[in-house]
């Protein structure tokens, strides 16, 4: 356990064990930033943050990349208030910039069934980017219903529902620095 992993009293009731500590997240994000810097040196990417879950990851990752990246945001909704995917993806906020001939890197919080990402890839792929890749902080082991081709993955984790570092349940717990299992009532 590193800094800020001791669960604050206001959250302790609903949280189980630490899945990824704040220090582990920080170290891995620095590594990913180095890899992306190296891989995209010739052509700095457009980072597309998938709101809201990827906000913490995006914020740290973009500062770990030593290139003139651009950033944009989109919001999708696939879960409603429950902890299992409905399989139905809705675009809540679309991008502001044109993707034609851009090297686009989707920044996602977690790939669970993969349905959200599948939908996003098709949706964004139709706009003629030069390349379209994915950087996912978390990949849930054995849960993908469709084969996923992820260029960067932070951590492979068990299939428990997790919160913290951007990930929520009913919009709460995004403001924790570590990632924990959620053991409360939904
Ligand atoms: P998928 O479509 O099943 O891959 O689900 C992906 C989306 O569901 C992510 O972008 C998250 O917003 C949300 N999600 C999936 N698993 C979790 C979790 O354990 N905690 C919080 N959100 C999750
Ligand atoms: Mg979410």
């Amino acid at each position: 356990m590193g800094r800020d992993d001791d669960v604050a009293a206001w959250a302790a009731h609903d949280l189980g064990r630490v899945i990824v500590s704040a220090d582990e997240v920080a170290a891995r994000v620095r590594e990913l930033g180095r890899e992306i810097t190296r891989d995209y040196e010739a052509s700095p990417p457009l980072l597309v943050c998938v709101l809201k879950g990827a906000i913490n990851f995006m914020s740290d990752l973009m500062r770990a990349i030593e290139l003139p990246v651009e950033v944009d945001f989109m919001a999708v909704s696939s879960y409603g208030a429950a902890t299992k995917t409905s399989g139905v993806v809705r675009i809540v906020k679309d991008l502001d910039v044109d993707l034609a001939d851009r090297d686009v890197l989707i920044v996602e919080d977690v790939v669970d069934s993969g349905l959200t990402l599948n939908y996003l890839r098709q949706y964004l792929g139709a706009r003629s980017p030069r390349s379209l890749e994915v950087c996912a902080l978390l990949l849930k082991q054995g849960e993908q219903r469709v084969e996923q081709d992820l260029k960067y993955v932070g951590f492979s984790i068990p299939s428990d529902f997790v919160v913290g570092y951007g990930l929520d349940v009913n919009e709460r717990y995004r403001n924790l620095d570590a990632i924990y299992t959620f053991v409360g009532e939904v």
Side-chain angles (χ1 to χ4, degrees), residues 51-53 76 78-80 109-110 161 166-168 171 174:
L51 296 171
K52 303 174 194 168
V76 300
S78 60
Y79 264 56
D109 54 356
V110 52
F161 196 81
L167 293 134
D168 73 305
E171 299 301 329
R174 296 192 198 274

Side-chain angles (χ1 to χ4, degrees), residues 22 24 41 62 70 82 106 110 162 184-185:
E24 287 168 330
E41 197 177 1
M62 63 191 262
E70 293 174 41
I106 300 174
V110 52
V162 296
E185 299 282 313

Side-chain angles (χ1 to χ4, degrees), residues 20-137:
V20 188
S21 73
D23 285 345
E24 287 168 330
V25 169
R28 186 73 184 114
V29 170
R30 278 195 298 275
E31 276 175 13
L32 290 170
R34 277 196 293 273
E35 283 180 44
I36 293 168
T37 301
R38 188 192 60 213
D39 295 347
Y40 285 87
E41 197 177 1
S43 175
L46 170 69
L47 304 178
V48 171
C49 174
V50 184
L51 296 171
K52 303 174 194 168
I55 48 172
N56 306 44
F57 183 38
M58 177 72 153
S59 172
D60 289 339
L61 183 67
M62 63 191 262
R63 288 176 288 172
I65 300 172
E66 296 183 44
L67 295 172
V69 295
E70 293 174 41
V71 302
D72 201 357
F73 299 85
M74 67 186 299
V76 300
S77 170
S78 60
Y79 264 56
T83 57
K84 271 292 158 193
T85 187
S86 63
V88 179
V89 179
R90 193 163 57 90
I91 304 291
V92 178
K93 183 220 170 290
D94 209 330
L95 297 174
D96 298 323
V97 304
D98 190 5
L99 299 191
D101 295 324
R102 299 302 307 268
D103 290 296
V104 177
L105 184 58
I106 300 174
V107 178
E108 242 300 31
D109 54 356
V110 52
V111 178
D112 185 5
S113 70
L115 292 172
T116 306
L117 199 55
N118 236 38
Y119 182 86
L120 271 180
R121 266 192 212 270
Q122 284 173 22
Y123 188 75
L124 299 180
R127 297 182 187 175
S128 315
R130 180 161 56 196
S131 66
L132 181 60
E133 300 288 354
V134 176
C135 180
L137 178 65

